[in-house]
Amino acid sequence: YAFQAAAALRQVCFLGDAPQVGTDAFLMRAQGDRLPFAVFYYIEGKSGWTTPFWGEEKYPTVPWNGVDVPTVTGGVCGETLRWELDADGVLTISGTGKMYDYSCTGPWGGEPEKIRRVVISEGCTSVGTLAFAGSVELTSISLPSTLETIGENAFWSCRTLQSVTIPAGVEIGMQAFSLCEGLTSVTLSE
C-alpha cells in the first residue's frame, strides 16, 4: 500500500534496476481499483525490466533516458495495433485485430486530458475494456466498420463525448458509455 490513494499520480520514474514492489503498492481503494492513468518509466539497460514488476496489471511501461521529462506519443495497443497521439489531441489507432483489454486505461492514459478525438482505423476489431476510461476532454470518436466489440467501460466517464455512431453488429460491453454526461446522440447502424 506504499502509494495507496495517490489519485493525482501520473508518472512513476525509476532510475535503477526494477524494484521489488508488492502487487498492491499502487492500490487506489479497498475495492481493488488500480492507479488510473499512470505511466511507469525505466532506464533501458537496467536489470529486471523484462516483465512488469507488478504482476499481471497492464500499466504502460516505457523506456526512459533518466534525464528528460518523459513524454509518450505512440506505442502498441494490441498484437498488431499501434497508437499515436498528435499535438492536436487526436489519438489514432491503426493496424488490424483486437485491442488489448486494460485494468485501468490504455497506454495513452498518462495525460487523458490531452485526448480530444479518437480515430480507430479500418482493420481494428475491438475496443478494449477500459481503453479510454476517464478521457474527460474526448469529444468525438470514429469507429471502423470492421469493429466487432466494444469492451466493458471502454468509454467510461468520457464526460464531454457528444455523439457516437456504432457500426452494425457490434457487441457493446457493460457500461461501455457510462457517465458520458455530454452524450446527446447515439446512432446504431443497420
Side-chain angles (χ1 to χ4, degrees):
Y1 303 106
F3 298 96
Q4 183 176 14
L9 189 61
R10 294 294 180 255
Q11 64 185 26
V12 179
C13 301
F14 295 100
L15 298 176
D17 295 338
Q20 295 296 319
V21 177
T23 57
D24 288 335
F26 294 95
L27 186 72
M28 287 302 297
R29 296 182 202 71
Q31 297 96 319
D33 293 340
R34 300 287 179 208
L35 180 69
F37 316 129
V39 177
F40 291 76
Y41 297 92
Y42 67 94
I43 297 176
E44 283 187 287
K46 296 293 183 178
S47 66
W49 290 105
T50 55
T51 58
F53 66 90
W54 49 82
E56 296 301 313
E57 297 300 326
K58 290 187 177 177
Y59 295 122
T61 307
V62 179
W64 174 50
N65 67 12
V67 178
D68 301 319
V69 175
T71 57
V72 178
T73 58
V76 175
C77 58
E79 295 282 325
T80 54
L81 291 176
R82 294 200 49 78
W83 67 275
E84 185 166 333
L85 180 61
D86 71 18
D88 294 323
V90 178
L91 176 64
T92 303
I93 310 294
S94 58
T96 58
K98 293 182 176 185
M99 184 183 295
Y100 293 138
D101 288 330
Y102 297 95
S103 58
C104 53
T105 190
W108 41 82
E111 298 179 80
E113 65 278 358
K114 289 187 175 182
I115 301 172
R116 306 262 189 264
R117 183 170 179 236
V118 170
V119 176
I120 302 176
S121 301
E122 290 294 321
C124 180
T125 59
S126 74
V127 174
T129 297
L130 289 164
F132 302 100
S135 297
V136 295
E137 298 298 325
L138 177 62
T139 58
S140 71
I141 56 176
S142 174
L143 300 173
S145 63
T146 53
L147 195 66
E148 298 171 1
T149 60
I150 297 174
E152 293 182 9
N153 299 296
F155 295 97
W156 176 83
S157 198
C158 292
R159 298 179 189 276
T160 58
L161 181 61
Q162 298 169 0
S163 66
V164 62
T165 299
I166 300 171
V170 173
E171 180 182 329
I172 303 170
M174 186 180 299
Q175 298 183 331
F177 295 93
S178 284
L179 296 178
C180 291
E181 297 167 350
L183 196 57
T184 58
S185 172
V186 175
T187 303
L188 301 171
S189 300
E190 290 184 34

